[in-house]
Amino acid sequence: MTTHTDGAAGYADAIQAPGTDESVWRAWTGWKHLREFPLPPGGRVVVVAAHPDDEVLGLGGTLARLAAAGRGITVVTVTDGEASHPDSRILLPRELADKRAAETRTALERLGAGSAEIVRLHVPDSGVDRHEDEVRRALVPLCSGAALVAAPWTGDVHSDHEAAGRAARAAAAEVDAPFAEYPVWMWHWAHPGDSRVPWERARCLSLPAEIQQRKRHAVDAFVSQILPLGPGEHEAAVLPPEELAHHLRPVEVVFQ
């Protein structure tokens, strides 16, 4: 996950502002109205991430379920996440990109998805919207024949997430592949029943206790994001515990 959004109006404010506490989400009665999302009975699944870690935060439990069922998995990281700490004095952007790539591989191994194909598109972090058609073109052959394509929600209020989601949706439509969107930052800036969220399209994916443990272990692999890189405000963790709590529930959500 990367919070830097290249000055996109309103985006940084929504993400940097205090968010909705996870206890509020846990108490929401709306969970019982969400229908279960049926995973494809076979075939390859493509999960697109704007930044390395989005796929695990949003769909890590589902990836573990798919891996356990023997499904083929392709994870596409659109950017290398090199701008998560743009003013860091500890790691240069290229060093951070390499670190995040290694963290992704470790996280997938912890999910039981170590054999997943990882495709890195190397689009500049915080600049996906300027390369959206390029991303779409790269995704078309990867999505061809997929039983499901999942990508960040196009309303996630993060320019990279939204552009990656639009590109993936267009690519999936071009090859007639089923498509679903997963939210990441929504849990921070939205609130239960929020009218900005298309709850009528929301579906849930239940995570058994063992799968939840795998996801927790996988999330811990993203050391560069959940712990400070060093002292000083420029090295602060992108994902503090209160943010991680949104992604460690017994359920994941997609928009169908």
Side-chain angles (χ1 to χ4, degrees):
M1 185 185 291
T2 297
T3 59
H4 182 61
T5 56
D6 201 32
Y11 283 20
D13 289 346
I15 291 174
Q16 299 297 338
T20 301
D21 192 84
E22 176 59 13
S23 63
V24 177
W25 284 111
R26 296 257 180 169
W28 184 39
T29 59
W31 294 111
K32 63 185 179 183
H33 300 300
L34 300 186
R35 288 183 287 164
E36 188 78 12
F37 181 80
L39 290 177
R44 182 173 56 90
V45 174
V46 177
V47 179
V48 178
H51 315 100
D53 75 2
D54 291 333
E55 74 291 341
V56 174
L57 294 170
L59 283 183
T62 300
L63 284 169
R65 286 180 56 189
L66 290 165
R71 303 286 181 266
I73 297 170
T74 297
V75 172
V76 184
T77 55
V78 176
T79 79
D80 291 331
E82 71 278 6
S84 68
H85 295 77
D87 300 311
S88 174
R89 299 177 182 178
I90 305 295
L91 289 177
L92 295 173
R94 66 175 181 275
E95 295 172 323
L96 188 53
D98 290 343
K99 185 173 183 62
R100 296 191 70 175
E103 290 171 347
T104 296
R105 173 54 71 189
T106 298
L108 290 173
E109 290 171 353
R110 292 179 179 183
L111 292 172
S115 62
E117 175 189 25
I118 300 177
V119 178
R120 298 169 65 189
L121 300 186
H122 304 296
V123 171
D125 191 356
S126 303
V128 180
D129 57 339
R130 298 191 296 274
H131 298 267
E132 193 171 322
D133 195 56
E134 172 189 335
V135 174
R136 178 195 61 79
R137 292 195 303 270
L139 289 175
V140 166
L142 296 171
C143 294
S144 181
L148 176 66
V149 176
W153 177 39
T154 56
D156 209 35
V157 186
H158 187 301
S159 60
D160 279 354
H161 290 205
E162 294 184 356
R166 290 191 301 266
R169 181 173 59 193
E174 191 167 331
V175 296
D176 199 26
F179 180 71
E181 304 170 88
Y182 61 90
V184 179
W185 278 112
M186 184 197 84
W187 305 113
H188 175 84
W189 56 259
H191 54 79
D194 198 315
S195 61
R196 296 169 293 180
V197 177
W199 298 113
E200 71 282 357
R201 296 199 290 118
R203 303 290 183 267
C204 65
L205 294 134
S206 301
L207 308 180
E210 179 185 354
I211 295 295
Q212 292 177 58
Q213 292 172 1
R214 280 187 174 272
K215 182 175 181 179
R216 167 77 263 192
H217 192 37
V219 168
D220 285 345
F222 294 105
V223 176
S224 70
Q225 304 300 294
I226 67 177
L227 297 177
L229 296 181
E233 61 179 341
H234 299 311
E235 318 300 338
V238 174
L239 293 167
E242 61 270 22
E243 193 63 43
L244 289 178
H246 299 316
H247 305 289
L248 299 175
R249 307 176 184 135
V251 65
E252 292 173 339
V253 170
V254 296
F255 298 118
Q256 194 173 31

